[in-house]
């Protein structure tokens, strides 16, 4: 059985502040977040003061901090939901948990509050099994095990680098789906977590995730931006692009990604019809993106996440750059991100 105990000194909770008043959000999360250090990054486009309630161990970063540390003439933009990546950059903790500020704690089927921190850390500390699918989901959870026929040579598993949680109420649909089914809400709490098989792509949602920063931190970055990107999740694709990059990188490095519990409760937000006008560009671009990620292969010389991002950036520019200049800019941003990760990592004090 894996050690799933939590050392608060190993965990940072990163919040991208899209709303100016975080008081209701943080008060909802107080019982779960209070033992941990929080990094809150204020959206540089936000006017006015950011309100954070007392009683938290928190560092708040603003536009001036971003400009001071990374400059304003960079190919990387930390605006909107992308500001959370600045939190990933300045953290010095092993584990990062990131929750959007329109989410509150969910309840499980027994009416108990879901501790997202505890479950994410449990997911990350227990091995992943990407090379052979276990039909009883995660074999390392209490009450589960490997099913008959599962090779004993693979039962030790591999490192789990990324834990992708889910959402009750407003699921992370795209704008076309939400516009077509405006009343649809997710009320099914499925008490399960599983490893995503190797070579299977997935849409990683940034709403509720956790990762091992030491293993894959450099592979989570803000690179692909829509020309009309908005401040609502279905108006962005930065997390989807980053997610497909990190999945290919994890497959190459022989490590795993899990999806399932923990859940958060996602509040109502935005107008899907209006957002559809912005996101349609992203919906079409995804049709070009998926075949690329299905076929791209990284060289054996790429043995770290940084190596993989640099090589993938070259492939993006060479193979997708001619399809749309947006991809060429994404490739540039990926290469710049690795340089930034190294420079900030060697100079920034621990927060």
């Amino acid at each position: 059985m894996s050690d799933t105990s939590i050392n608060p000194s190993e965990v940072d909770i990163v919040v991208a502040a899209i709303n100016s008043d975080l008081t209701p959000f943080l008060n909802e999360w107080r019982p779960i977040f209070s033992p941990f250090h929080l990094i809150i990054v204020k959206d540089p486009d936000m006017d006015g003061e950011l309100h954070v309630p007392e009683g938290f161990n928190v560092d708040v970063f603003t536009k001036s901090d971003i400009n001071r540390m990374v400059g304003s003439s960079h190919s990387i933009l930390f605006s909107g939901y992308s500001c959370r990546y600045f939190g990933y950059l300045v953290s010095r903790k092993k584990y990062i948990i990131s929750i959007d500020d329109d989410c509150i704690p969910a309840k499980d089927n027994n009416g108990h509050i879901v501790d997202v921190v505890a479950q994410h850390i449990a997911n990350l500390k227990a091995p992943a099994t990407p090379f052979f699918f276990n039909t009883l989901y995660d074999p390392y959870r209490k009450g589960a095990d490997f099913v008959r026929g599962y090779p004993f040579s693979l039962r030790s598993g591999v490192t789990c680098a990324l834990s992708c949680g889910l959402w009750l109420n407003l699921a992370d649909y795209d704008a076309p789906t939400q516009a077509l089914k405006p009343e649809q809400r997710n009320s099914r709490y499925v008490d399960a977590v599983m490893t995503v098989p190797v070579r299977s792509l997935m849409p990683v949602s940034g709403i509720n995730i956790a990762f091992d920063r030491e293993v894959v931190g450099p592979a989570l970055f803000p690179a692909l931006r829509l020309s009309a990107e908005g401040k609502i999740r279905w108006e962005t694709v930065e997390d989807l692009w980053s997610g497909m990059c990190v999945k290919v990188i994890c497959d190459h490095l022989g490590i795993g990604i899990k999806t399932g519990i923990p859940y958060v409760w996602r509040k109502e937000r935005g107008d899907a019809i209006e957002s559809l006008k912005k996101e349609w560009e992203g919906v079409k671009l995804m049709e070009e993106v998926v075949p690329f990620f299905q076929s791209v292969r990284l060289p054996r010389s790429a043995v770290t996440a940084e190596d993989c991002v640099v090589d993938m950036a070259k492939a993006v520019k060479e193979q997708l750059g001619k399809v749309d200049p947006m991809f060429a800019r994404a490739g540039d941003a990926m290469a710049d991100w690795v340089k930034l990760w190294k420079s900030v990592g060697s100079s920034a004090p621990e927060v």
Side-chain angles (χ1 to χ4, degrees), residues 15 70 111 155 179 225:
V15 177
V70 306
R155 293 191 182 195
R225 294 183 65 88

Side-chain angles (χ1 to χ4, degrees), residues 198-201 241 243-253 288-300 302 307-320 334:
V198 66
R199 303 296 178 205
S200 291
L201 291 177
W241 174 268
M244 282 187 277
C245 289
V246 77
K247 181 60 170 68
V248 171
I249 289 170
C250 284
D251 287 349
H252 173 77
L253 295 177
E288 301 286 348
V289 164
V290 172
F292 166 77
F293 284 109
Q294 287 174 328
S295 61
V296 68
R297 294 293 182 268
L298 298 172
R300 297 182 68 177
D307 295 340
C308 292
V309 174
V310 170
D311 284 317
M312 186 169 288
K314 294 176 184 176
V316 167
K317 294 183 69 174
E318 291 171 1
Q319 299 180 41
L320 289 177
M334 291 164 66

Side-chain angles (χ1 to χ4, degrees), residues 90-212:
V90 299
S91 173
R92 292 295 171 268
K93 303 294 176 63
K94 178 174 177 58
Y95 300 112
I96 289 180
I97 294 169
S98 186
I99 307 291
D100 277 5
D101 67 357
D102 58 354
C103 299
I104 61 174
K107 292 183 179 180
D108 64 18
N109 292 326
N110 295 318
H112 300 139
I113 294 292
V114 174
D115 187 336
V116 295
V117 176
Q119 186 60 55
H120 272 310
I121 297 301
N123 291 348
L124 292 171
K125 284 196 167 187
T129 54
F131 303 112
F132 203 93
F133 187 76
N134 191 57
T135 52
L136 201 55
Y137 312 119
D138 189 340
Y140 303 102
R141 289 190 71 199
K142 184 178 180 180
D145 210 322
F146 292 96
V147 297
R148 180 171 56 88
Y150 202 102
F152 279 86
S153 60
L154 295 176
R155 293 191 182 195
S156 59
V158 299
T159 298
C160 180
L162 178 64
S163 170
C164 303
L166 297 174
W167 340 266
L168 290 175
N169 192 42
L170 194 64
D172 193 14
Y173 297 127
D174 52 31
T177 303
Q178 194 65 61
L180 184 64
K181 301 177 179 180
E183 304 303 319
Q184 182 160 310
R185 298 294 180 269
N186 182 34
S187 60
R188 295 179 63 242
Y189 180 96
V190 180
D191 186 17
V193 63
M194 64 189 74
T195 298
V196 181
V198 66
R199 303 296 178 205
S200 291
L201 291 177
M202 60 180 294
V204 172
S205 166
I207 293 172
N208 168 24
I209 64 169
F211 59 94
D212 187 327

Side-chain angles (χ1 to χ4, degrees), residues 3-13 32 35-36 95 97 115-123 125:
D3 176 20
T4 58
S5 60
I6 303 174
N7 180 352
S9 67
E10 291 186 324
V11 178
D12 266 338
I13 297 172
I32 298 171
F36 304 97
Y95 300 112
I97 294 169
D115 187 336
V116 295
V117 176
Q119 186 60 55
H120 272 310
I121 297 301
N123 291 348
K125 284 196 167 187

